Amino acid sequence: MTEPQKRPLPVRVVRRHPDGIPMNDLFRGAAKPAAVPAAVPAPVPEPTPLRPPPDEPDLAERAGAALPGWCAVLVALTSLGAAATLLWRARPPRAAALLPWEWAALAGCAVVTVLALGGLTRGRTGTAWVLALFGRYRGSVRRTGLVWISPFVLRRRVDVRLRHWRSEPIAVVDAEGAALRVVVLVVWSVRDTARALLAVDDHLGYLREQVEAATARVLSQLPADAFRGDGPTLRDAEAVGARLTRLLAAECRPVGIAVFSAQPTRIEYAPEVAAAMHRRQVAALDAKHRDTVLTSVIDAVDDTVTRLTTRGLVELDDFERQALVKDLTVAFYTRQGGGPERGQE
């Protein structure tokens, strides 16, 4: 007995829409998926500001104890005058030694004079004194001219003027991994003298390290050059400088440094990749130039053929139209420098 033949199972053909939806579901009213937006370069996130050290929660600049210098000079002169009066009373005609209280008064006058004159100092414009006693912050003095500060406190001078610093070439990489050398110009000043001297060991070294770190972080977000189309690059110095300034200001604020501007003054490829990147840049410029020339040639040929046929100057069939378009394209393209001259072919 012969076995019954098995019927092949029906094959269901599912046609898909270019968006990825089966055509059957599309006819039933299935919604198309939302178009995926083009990838946008992620902005540099704002860093979280650091906090003061836990052992100094109130570490912030405040006014320190200081007096005008003329007060100390007046006190010193008064003390010297009192001492001179006591010595004048004990002159030879009196023929008597100084009494114990007179010796105590002279010693007191001497101590007052030493303290008054020993605390005199000169405050300069653009500088400030940071005071500390037994390792604890006691305030800052921004007075100018002759100033009296207690001689028992430790005084450290700090420059609070607007300053600028140009970095050495910093080695970084861009978004495509190309090695770069960047020079950054930073305009900054000390805003909080207490944090600048006490919250960090060396605020100048801290600033240099943060400039290198922020530069590497910002420049790694974008390519140095756009070889494959138009897009944001590191050649936009204004945008890169604004992002670098914002990031560096946030990092330096906890140590009392105010950053007003951080601008890359020079961005160039590293010597080991400079030649290859230069050839790539020249090739991209040449391709862009050829594309521009070809677009203008096609527009000119289309306008010429349209005018000729619209005004009835020539009657062309398809073959003649193709030949005319070819000849005009070659002529215009050669004329505009997009290819070699006919005599050189």
Side-chain angles (χ1 to χ4, degrees):
M1 177 181 288
T2 59
E3 296 181 359
Q5 297 181 353
K6 297 180 180 181
R7 296 182 179 179
L9 296 177
V11 179
R12 182 183 178 187
V13 179
V14 180
R15 297 181 178 178
R16 293 185 176 273
H17 190 266
D19 293 332
I21 303 178
M23 298 295 293
N24 297 336
D25 296 340
L26 186 62
F27 292 137
R28 294 193 189 104
K32 295 183 179 180
V36 179
V40 180
V44 177
E46 293 292 341
T48 303
L50 302 176
R51 297 184 180 276
D55 56 340
E56 291 285 352
D58 57 345
L59 183 60
E61 181 179 339
R62 59 180 183 271
L67 294 175
W70 61 267
C71 295
V73 174
L74 182 61
V75 170
L77 292 178
T78 303
S79 178
L80 290 176
T85 301
L86 290 175
L87 293 176
W88 180 79
R89 291 180 59 183
R91 65 186 184 276
R94 177 179 173 182
L98 293 176
L99 300 177
W101 69 269
E102 292 176 337
W103 282 110
L106 285 176
C109 291
V111 170
V112 171
T113 302
V114 171
L115 291 178
L117 297 180
L120 286 177
T121 185
R122 182 180 61 175
R124 301 176 182 175
T125 302
T127 61
W129 289 105
V130 177
L131 311 181
L133 181 62
F134 302 115
R136 190 170 184 85
Y137 176 62
R138 293 300 181 184
S140 299
V141 178
R142 290 179 178 258
R143 289 175 175 266
T144 57
L146 192 62
V147 183
W148 181 86
I149 301 175
S150 174
F152 296 105
V153 298
L154 177 64
R155 293 174 285 184
R156 296 176 61 185
R157 189 187 295 272
V158 57
D159 193 342
V160 295
R161 293 174 296 180
L162 189 66
R163 304 168 66 182
H164 69 277
W165 174 71
R166 183 185 298 271
S167 70
E168 297 294 330
I170 303 173
V172 299
V173 295
D174 64 355
E176 296 182 351
L180 303 175
R181 295 292 184 270
V182 184
V183 177
V184 181
L185 178 64
V186 183
V187 180
W188 63 283
S189 69
V190 174
R191 180 66 56 84
D192 192 314
T193 56
R195 293 184 178 181
L197 289 185
L198 304 178
V200 67
D201 184 30
D202 181 12
H203 63 280
L204 295 177
Y206 179 88
L207 175 64
R208 295 189 183 98
E209 296 294 337
Q210 289 300 326
V211 168
E212 294 185 7
T215 302
R217 182 176 174 183
V218 171
L219 270 66
S220 65
Q221 302 293 325
L222 297 173
D225 294 290
F227 297 109
R228 301 178 179 177
D230 296 333
T233 65
L234 298 179
R235 302 306 176 184
D236 188 356
E238 183 176 358
V240 174
R243 186 177 300 177
L244 183 59
T245 301
R246 184 168 58 252
L247 178 59
L248 193 58
E251 294 292 345
C252 295
R253 191 177 299 116
V255 296
I257 296 178
V259 177
F260 300 98
S261 174
Q263 298 291 333
T265 59
R266 188 176 65 194
I267 300 178
E268 59 186 14
Y269 290 103
E272 59 270 17
V273 299
M277 289 300 161
H278 178 70
R279 291 193 297 268
R280 186 177 178 185
Q281 186 176 14
V282 171
L285 292 175
D286 184 66
K288 186 176 181 180
H289 171 71
R290 289 178 179 274
D291 183 70
T292 303
V293 171
L294 184 59
T295 301
S296 62
V297 166
I298 292 175
D299 293 340
V301 171
D302 179 67
D303 182 66
T304 302
V305 175
T306 302
R307 288 187 179 185
L308 290 175
T309 55
T310 301
R311 297 181 181 182
L313 298 178
V314 293
E315 294 183 359
L316 304 173
D317 54 13
D318 294 340
F319 179 77
E320 293 174 342
R321 180 186 294 272
Q322 294 177 2
L324 179 60
V325 168
K326 179 180 178 181
D327 294 339
L328 290 176
T329 302
V330 172
F332 289 168
Y333 192 74
T334 305
R335 177 83 177 253
Q336 294 193 13
E341 300 291 342
R342 285 188 174 272
Q344 300 178 359
E345 294 180 354

